[in-house]
Amino acid sequence: MALVFLLLAPLAFGRSFWLRDTLQFTYPLKAYLAERLRAGELALWNPRLGLGRPFAGVVQPGVFYPLDVVLLVARYPRNVDLFFALHALIAALGMRAWLRARGS
């Protein structure tokens, strides 16, 4: 849990460290998805990519992923940070449960 805390510590100070590919690829996809969800629409098509591309049928945005509800909690980019932080916490708890099951 200490490792997860250290990993997520920049979020407590208003900073985001999810950079590189995440900043250029995942952030815009999740921001668009959150925008459509707030508007009460299902994001089927993304007109901002090229001349428009299918959005719901692509795996990366995760349009039908249940934990996308986290994207509605805060505004961009905080909502994407919370999205990643939740997954880091779930991974840590899953690792803890797996290690306990293995007798560690």
Side-chain angles (χ1 to χ4, degrees), residues 95-104:
M95 178 59 81
R96 180 177 183 258
W98 181 77
L99 286 172
R100 284 185 159 220
R102 304 271 306 171
S104 294

Side-chain angles (χ1 to χ4, degrees), residues 72-91:
L72 301 176
V73 173
R75 293 286 178 202
Y76 175 81
R78 288 292 134 223
N79 59 357
V80 180
D81 291 332
L82 290 173
F83 181 81
F84 286 126
L86 175 66
H87 286 80
L89 181 63
I90 290 170

Side-chain angles (χ1 to χ4, degrees), residues 8-60:
L8 302 177
L11 298 179
F13 300 106
R15 296 175 49 194
S16 178
F17 63 95
W18 312 104
L19 297 175
R20 298 188 181 126
D21 291 340
T22 302
L23 180 64
Q24 296 175 1
F25 184 72
T26 306
Y27 266 23
L29 294 177
K30 291 297 182 184
Y32 179 72
L33 177 60
E35 177 185 314
R36 293 295 93 218
L37 290 175
R38 277 195 192 91
E41 298 175 4
L42 187 58
L44 300 174
W45 186 262
N46 188 350
R48 297 178 185 166
L49 294 174
L51 296 173
R53 293 187 185 160
F55 196 71
V58 180
V59 174
Q60 189 65 32

